[in-house]
Amino acid sequence: LILSWVPPVSKDALTHHLAVPKLYLRYGGIYEIPFIPFSYFPMNLDLLYLIPLYFGNDIIPKYIHFAFALLTALLIFGYLQKRIGPPYALLGAILFLSIPIIVKLSITVYVDLGLIFFTTASLLLLLKWMEKGFGLRFLVLSAVGSGLAMGTKYNGLITFLLLALFVPFLHSRYYGGKKAGFSKSLRYGALFVLISLMLFSPWMIRNYLWTSNPLYPLYDQWFNPDDPAHWHTIGVFTYRSVVYHEAWWQIALLPIRVFFQGVDGDPQYFDGRLNPFLLVFPLFAFYRLGTESDSIRMELKAMICFAVLFFAFAFFSSSLRIRYIAPIIPPLVMLSMFGLKKLVIQVQALKTRLMRNISLTGLVLLLCFAHWLNFRYIVDQYRDVDPFSYLGGTVTRDEYIEKHRPEYPTMQYINESLPPAARILFIFMGNRGYYCDREYIFDMINNRSMLKSLVQASNTSQDLLFQIRKRGITHLLINYRIFDRWVKDAFTTEEQEFLLQFFQQHMRLLYSKAGYSLLRLEELV
């Protein structure tokens, strides 16, 4: 609650989770924004952020996002309370809320906590569907959760695919204690798919009308095979080998490393942190599995299968980030509590009191260490976020934002000095446009630079001026710390001289600070 009460400065918030809703409010409705690829993503939570943004508050969206963490903790508590008792339920809820990546997400304007909640709800409702004898009510509710997960983030497609496969499998295997007709199981699966897609369909229809691809920009090579502007990616193994110079054994250990080596802001180390005990404690949940009831045994198997398969899909389909696999955290937390209870039972079964006391002390110390890792991360967040300087009035809102986003003073100059009709080309600005109140577009879209293509297509500096002005661009906002290196690497010597001549003849510097410069284009004559 304290860490959240500062102005938003996280990258994704400024590139789309707040930036796109702000543009929708300015425009008066949802409209296509081709230069922001993220604007084609599903936006269930982003639309909720419209409400506080309409009233001029961009801090409340953090609390909306955090609310989904609390709701997920409530789901974990409710499930564990019924299965293994209130103490384990409370410990599981606290463990979930204090996991570093959950803490980080809870204080930022992202959408991953919504995806985690809807995924967890859909999975638990599916287990409830089986527990209650396969009635329609819980199947429909599970499908609703799956559809809302897809409408929150594209990673919800993995949830949908896995649970759609779980439905006929669970029904055919466990219905009435005997195998059911497979056609009925398939009908249940088809119903789940239909309801989920209905909830997700508004975003698919929108994207199809705009791009002829309901899942744009995913799989665009299938829907628009003649479009050269596809998002080309390479496999995760090749990428990590080439970019991070990791050996084969390091890549092979990624499923284990992800629990131990997480670092915020470092994509090589998964851009986030988990708790290593999420890997250790679930293993004990399957110790002497035959001692549980059939329903509990099935639920444990379903949760571990979901976690493993979700991780595999996310791992092989994209660059590995903790956020991309975050929906597996609630199942792992619940399995951890089952594992913890089995450890306690084994300790209690020891023959001598001395051994019981020693083992119980060791188990308590182990739990304390697991939670200390989380607590230490929270303490570090207070140092990094520094909320008290802002809450205490030591720094103003503008000073706080500038401390974390050095381009902010230039944005302020734009908002105060440029006419409303200005249109600015952002060059190497990280696509962070939320704090700009004038119209803007990005130079780099799908790894292709508009400026570079125009330079290569122009014969004279006047031609280049005409081509840029023809697109309505009046100003350039440049991050020179990156721009200068890029020009030397991406342009030939002749093109560099041509670009320098163009800047000298047709550009005027208006403002510059911290390496960010605003330049005005000369009017066409």
Side-chain angles (χ1 to χ4, degrees):
L1 293 173
I2 297 173
L3 287 168
S4 296
W5 201 259
V6 293
V9 293
S10 55
K11 180 181 182 297
D12 283 10
L14 305 187
T15 57
H16 58 290
H17 293 310
L18 290 178
V20 172
K22 180 181 177 180
L23 292 175
Y24 286 169
L25 286 173
R26 183 187 302 170
Y27 183 79
I30 295 176
Y31 71 108
E32 187 175 10
I33 312 175
F35 67 90
I36 304 181
F38 299 115
S39 67
Y40 294 95
F41 288 9
M43 302 181 67
N44 281 352
L45 259 65
D46 296 303
L47 293 185
L48 289 179
Y49 302 155
L50 277 168
I51 301 171
L53 285 180
Y54 176 81
F55 293 100
N57 190 304
D58 54 13
I59 294 178
I60 294 298
K62 296 183 183 182
Y63 291 96
I64 295 176
H65 193 219
F66 174 49
F68 286 94
L70 296 177
L71 290 172
T72 306
L74 191 61
L75 289 178
I76 293 172
F77 181 87
Y79 175 81
L80 292 176
Q81 181 185 34
K82 182 177 179 181
R83 296 298 189 273
I84 54 178
Y88 295 99
L90 182 60
L91 191 60
I94 294 173
L95 176 63
F96 170 76
L97 287 173
S98 64
I99 290 171
I101 186 62
I102 301 301
V103 172
K104 190 68 173 179
L105 291 172
S106 296
I107 62 175
T108 50
V109 188
Y110 282 37
V111 298
D112 301 85
L113 292 175
L115 173 64
I116 292 171
F117 168 73
F118 291 125
T119 296
T120 305
S122 186
L123 175 62
L124 293 181
L125 285 165
L126 201 60
L127 299 181
K128 192 78 170 178
W129 172 63
M130 197 189 72
E131 178 190 351
K132 295 298 183 180
F134 300 98
L136 281 178
R137 176 188 171 193
F138 290 105
L139 178 66
V140 170
L141 291 175
S142 177
V144 169
S146 171
L148 292 174
M150 286 190 288
T152 300
K153 190 171 182 174
Y154 273 141
N155 291 48
L157 291 168
I158 305 176
T159 298
F160 165 70
L161 177 61
L162 292 178
L163 297 187
L165 294 174
F166 277 25
V167 169
F169 174 79
L170 293 176
H171 183 265
S172 63
R173 183 174 178 84
Y174 295 103
Y175 177 66
K178 59 182 180 180
K179 291 190 175 181
F182 195 63
S183 61
K184 187 174 183 179
S185 301
L186 287 178
R187 289 198 296 272
Y188 277 129
L191 179 63
F192 181 92
V193 169
L194 178 62
I195 296 173
S196 297
L197 291 179
M198 284 178 60
L199 269 294
F200 182 49
S201 62
W203 303 114
M204 291 195 294
I205 294 170
R206 178 201 65 172
N207 282 354
Y208 184 80
L209 293 175
W210 285 348
T211 68
S212 300
N213 175 359
L215 300 177
Y216 187 86
L218 302 182
Y219 315 115
D220 200 46
Q221 66 273 17
W222 297 354
F223 294 95
N224 299 297
D226 297 328
D227 188 349
H230 292 142
W231 285 26
H232 296 291
T233 59
I234 60 176
V236 63
F237 302 125
T238 304
Y239 183 87
R240 297 192 73 89
S241 176
V242 173
V243 177
Y244 303 137
H245 308 291
E246 292 183 347
W248 67 268
W249 60 270
Q250 292 175 297
I251 297 175
L253 289 175
L254 281 175
I256 297 175
R257 289 172 55 202
V258 75
F259 290 91
F260 292 87
Q261 292 186 318
V263 177
D264 286 346
D266 190 336
Q268 180 178 2
Y269 297 107
F270 323 117
D271 190 21
R273 286 174 57 184
L274 288 173
N275 188 300
F277 287 92
L278 288 178
L279 179 65
V280 177
F281 280 135
L283 300 177
F284 294 97
F286 298 92
Y287 177 69
R288 293 187 178 181
L289 192 58
T291 59
E292 289 89 2
S293 65
D294 290 342
S295 61
I296 295 295
R297 194 158 56 245
M298 180 281 305
E299 290 174 2
L300 296 178
K301 290 179 180 178
M303 282 192 283
I304 194 62
C305 285
F306 177 84
V308 170
L309 291 174
F310 194 104
F311 180 91
F313 270 100
F315 177 57
F316 287 106
S317 62
S318 64
S319 57
L320 189 56
R321 302 284 193 279
I322 299 294
R323 288 186 293 114
Y324 300 165
I325 61 170
I328 74 174
I329 295 176
L332 291 180
V333 168
M334 291 183 280
L335 289 171
S336 295
M337 293 303 102
F338 277 98
L340 177 61
K341 183 175 182 180
K342 286 199 173 183
L343 285 173
V344 172
I345 292 173
Q346 293 304 309
V347 168
Q348 292 172 340
L350 293 173
K351 294 182 179 181
T352 66
R353 183 176 180 180
L354 178 62
M355 288 300 298
R356 287 197 298 271
N357 290 339
I358 292 175
S359 299
L360 186 60
T361 302
L363 190 56
V364 170
L365 290 175
L366 200 63
L367 278 173
C368 290
F369 179 64
H371 283 83
W372 177 79
L373 292 175
N374 294 348
F375 177 76
R376 186 181 65 176
Y377 179 84
I378 295 173
V379 172
D380 290 341
Q381 286 302 298
Y382 272 92
R383 184 187 65 247
D384 296 339
V385 176
D386 188 21
F388 294 116
S389 64
Y390 175 73
L391 292 173
T394 306
V395 300
T396 66
R397 174 184 169 91
D398 290 341
E399 289 170 341
Y400 183 88
I401 298 172
E402 181 180 353
K403 177 182 176 182
H404 294 271
R405 290 299 171 199
E407 74 273 12
Y408 183 69
T410 312
M411 297 283 192
Q412 287 181 295
Y413 179 87
I414 289 172
N415 299 336
E416 296 169 359
S417 303
L418 295 194
R423 193 172 197 235
I424 307 159
L425 181 66
F426 281 15
I427 302 178
F428 292 108
M429 294 298 299
N431 297 346
R432 296 184 297 270
Y434 171 69
Y435 286 117
C436 181
D437 293 337
R438 298 294 182 266
E439 185 180 357
Y440 60 88
I441 60 173
F442 303 144
D443 174 64
M444 196 74 69
I445 302 175
N446 296 336
N447 296 320
R448 297 194 307 170
S449 166
M450 176 196 302
L451 180 64
K452 181 179 179 181
S453 63
L454 293 180
V455 167
Q456 293 175 337
S458 301
N459 295 319
T460 66
S461 59
Q462 191 69 30
D463 289 339
L464 179 57
L465 176 65
F466 175 78
Q467 291 299 324
I468 297 176
R469 274 288 189 173
K470 187 173 71 172
R471 288 160 173 78
I473 298 169
T474 60
H475 298 78
L476 271 60
L477 179 56
I478 302 175
N479 178 358
Y480 268 103
R481 291 174 296 182
I482 301 177
F483 180 75
D484 288 341
R485 296 197 305 268
W486 173 72
V487 168
K488 293 177 182 178
D489 294 336
F491 291 84
T492 65
T493 302
E494 291 77 11
E495 290 170 343
Q496 292 178 37
E497 293 175 354
F498 176 75
L499 189 61
L500 176 61
Q501 181 186 30
F502 170 77
F503 271 62
Q504 292 173 340
Q505 293 180 353
H506 302 292
M507 305 290 293
R508 177 189 171 191
L509 178 65
L510 298 181
Y511 184 89
S512 183
K513 186 175 182 180
Y516 296 88
S517 298
L518 177 69
L519 301 100
R520 186 179 66 194
L521 277 162
E522 182 184 73
E523 297 281 352
L524 287 173
V525 293

